[in-house]
């Protein structure tokens, strides 16, 4: 049996904009009110996805969400025609309005936590959409995310879909951004690492003081239970509260794993030595590489600025690993030097490739944020909705679709334009046909 790790990249939605919505995410706050380019953003994402497909990787896409989110605005008391809802929300409650316009579902690392069939008690691939409770704009995502995942992984013989955790800060869950799986081969049982920012029910435990910890231990434990993971193959690690306070709002901003490699910053974890020892013990005797980046070589600040750890480490056909980095890493002297040296060292990582995803980076989303990893056997891959997988034909269709529907530039004032709402709905209606995922959007169900 063959197995693969498939990356499902989030298609950037037509309302991609910079609204400064994510307190604790430095890039999001620094770029608030900048002019965005939804078209460029969508094309940068598609180009990265296509490049990975061209490297021989199996690559998929996940549909974006319907925005502006008129239904939520109506739930919050705005009435009248859609145009009126937009107008009055923008005027009366700017922050709420902006939250309802965000294209943040593009960061599919936050779409869900996924456990491959090799790890789960019933031998199916398990998905739990993240509730994203810490940010209002992101808390609007899980329901439709669940539908999109079901439209993409539509066979319940192989795929188990759970409802997102209770929408409450106690169970704050940010999905795969705080989850990494280590294994020897993707199809063999692995060790799942759940990294959390705080304990929800024990305030005596350390926690960040300046910026929020978005993920709780209790949420991570609930996911492990739902997915039927065995205690011996799960490690819970607390993120270092100090780095959260410096702007590391998800673990994937400071650590990334692939197969038997864990690449992380010296300051990533609280009680690091204990955590690494537990991983080592649960992983067993097989070769395992801890690639630790010391602070005196790369500061936490540089890691956040360049997203050195928000890189994708992928295993290419032929088994060499490559690191997929944003061009910000190339532009930083210390970081590019580090990466050049890394590929010559005694680790499986042998190549580095840079991608321009600046439209996403300005909101704090690097290459790894843009993708959800799903490890699959060949039989499971055959059960995935084939229209969601990237090949030359689907890539061309999606690029043409972006050209047809997306604006070149978007400013805050454009978001209240009823025309943008119609354009977005027309785009998404067509997309559900291109991807054949069914009527997942509220406007298609009314
Ligand atoms: O949740 N930014 C996203 C970035 C998510 C990155 N994902 C991972 N690290 N996996 C967030 O903070 C900013 C939107 C705005 O400000 O307009 C935003 O939502």
């Amino acid at each position: 049996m063959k197995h693969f790790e498939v990356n499902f990249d989030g298609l950037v939605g037509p309302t991609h904009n910079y609204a400064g919505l994510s307190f604790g995410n430095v890039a999001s706050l620094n770029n608030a009110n900048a002019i965005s380019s939804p078209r460029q953003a969508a094309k940068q994402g598609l180009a990265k996805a296509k490049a990975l497909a061209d490297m021989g990787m199996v690559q998929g896409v996940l549909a974006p969400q319907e925005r502006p989110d008129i239904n939520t605005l109506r739930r919050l008391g705005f009435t009248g025609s859609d145009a009126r809802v937009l107008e009055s929300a923008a005027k009366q409650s700017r922050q709420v309005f902006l939250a309802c316009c965000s294209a943040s579902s593009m960061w599919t690392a936050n779409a869900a936590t996924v456990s491959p069939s090799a790890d789960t008690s019933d031998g199916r691939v398990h998905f739990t959409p993240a509730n994203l409770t810490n940010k209002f704009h992101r808390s609007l995502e899980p329901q439709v995310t669940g539908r999109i995942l079901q439209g993409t992984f539509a066979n319940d013989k192989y795929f188990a879909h759970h409802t997102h955790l209770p929408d409450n800060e106690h169970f704050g869950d940010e999905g795969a951004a705080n989850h990494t799986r280590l294994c020897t081969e993707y199809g063999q049982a692995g060790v799942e690492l759940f990294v959390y920012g705080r304990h929800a029910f024990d305030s005596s435990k350390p926690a960040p003081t300046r910026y929020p910890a978005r993920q709780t231990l209790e949420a991570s434990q609930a996911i492990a239970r739902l997915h039927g993971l065995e205690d011996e193959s799960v490690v819970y690690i607390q993120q270092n509260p100090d780095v959260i306070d410096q702007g590391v709002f998800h673990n994937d901003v400071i650590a990334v794993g692939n197969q038997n490699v864990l690449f992380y910053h010296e300051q990533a974890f609280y009680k690091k030595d204990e955590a690494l020892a537990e991983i080592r013990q649960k992983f067993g005797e097989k070769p395992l590489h801890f690639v630790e980046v010391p602070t005196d070589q790369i500061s936490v600040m540089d890691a956040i600025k360049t997203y050195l750890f928000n890189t994708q480490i992928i295993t290419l056909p032929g088994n060499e690993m490559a690191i997929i980095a944003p061009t910000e890493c190339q532009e930083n002297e210390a970081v590019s030097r580090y990466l050049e040296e890394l590929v010559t060292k005694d680790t499986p990582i042998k190549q580095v490739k840079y991608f321009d995803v600046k439209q996403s980076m300005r909101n704090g989303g690097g290459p790894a944020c843009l993708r959800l990893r799903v490890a699959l056997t060949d039989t499971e891959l055959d059960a995935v909705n084939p229209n969601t997988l990237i090949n030359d034909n689907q890539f061309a269709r999606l690029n043409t679709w972006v050209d047809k529907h997306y604006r070149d530039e978007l400013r805050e004032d454009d978001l209240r334009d009823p025309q943008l709402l119609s354009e977005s709905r027309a785009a998404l209606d067509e997309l559900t046909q291109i991807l054949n995922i069914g009527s997942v959007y509220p406007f298609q169900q009314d």
Side-chain angles (χ1 to χ4, degrees), residues 187-375:
Q188 293 171 0
V191 176
E192 299 201 15
L193 314 185
F194 288 86
V195 183
Y196 61 93
R198 68 185 176 93
H199 297 245
F201 292 94
D202 186 351
S203 54
S204 70
K205 291 284 179 9
T209 52
R210 181 177 179 212
Y211 291 144
R214 299 204 207 176
Q215 178 96 27
T216 67
L217 168 64
E218 291 80 352
S220 301
Q221 290 169 328
I223 303 279
R225 272 191 299 271
L226 285 167
H227 291 195
L229 306 179
E230 291 187 11
D231 288 347
E232 304 81 75
S233 55
V234 173
V235 181
Y236 300 101
I237 306 173
Q238 179 158 7
Q239 209 184 336
N240 177 357
D242 293 344
V243 300
I244 297 181
D245 278 339
Q246 291 174 65
V248 180
F249 57 98
H250 287 137
N251 176 61
D252 70 3
V253 176
I254 197 127
V256 55
N258 178 52
Q259 290 186 325
N260 62 357
V261 174
L262 184 64
F263 178 51
Y264 59 97
H265 191 273
E266 180 186 357
Q267 295 185 55
F269 308 123
Y270 178 69
K271 296 199 176 162
K272 178 189 71 185
D273 294 341
E274 281 175 29
L276 296 181
E278 190 179 343
I279 296 171
R280 169 76 66 189
Q281 183 255 319
K282 290 188 169 169
F283 198 79
E285 296 303 307
K286 301 153 287 186
L288 176 63
H289 302 265
F290 289 138
V291 184
E292 177 170 312
V293 181
T295 306
D296 61 13
Q297 216 169 342
I298 309 286
S299 66
V300 172
M301 267 307 121
D302 271 352
I304 296 172
K305 254 195 267 161
T306 63
Y307 266 35
L308 170 61
F309 299 95
N310 202 264
T311 43
Q312 294 174 240
I313 303 177
I314 58 172
T315 305
L316 297 166
N319 272 340
E320 220 168 74
M321 291 192 195
I323 194 158
I324 305 298
T327 43
E328 282 75 0
C329 288
Q330 197 174 21
E331 290 153 11
N332 178 296
E333 221 186 291
V335 171
S336 63
R337 198 174 336 113
Y338 176 84
L339 284 170
E340 271 163 42
E341 279 170 24
L342 174 66
V343 295
T344 66
K345 290 209 177 123
D346 185 24
T347 85
I349 306 170
K350 292 294 167 216
Q351 299 182 28
V352 50
K353 300 201 184 290
Y354 296 102
F355 286 87
D356 178 359
V357 288
K358 284 195 190 315
Q359 284 287 327
S360 167
M361 283 287 285
R362 283 184 203 131
N363 256 337
C369 299
L370 286 162
R371 62 93 171 94
L372 181 67
R373 294 186 282 187
V374 186

Side-chain angles (χ1 to χ4, degrees), residues 19-22 25 28 107 110 137-138 177 214 250 252 363-364 369:
L21 300 174
S22 279
N25 167 347
S28 153
W107 299 295
N110 304 116
H137 69 292
R138 303 223 58 184
R214 299 204 207 176
H250 287 137
D252 70 3
N363 256 337
C369 299

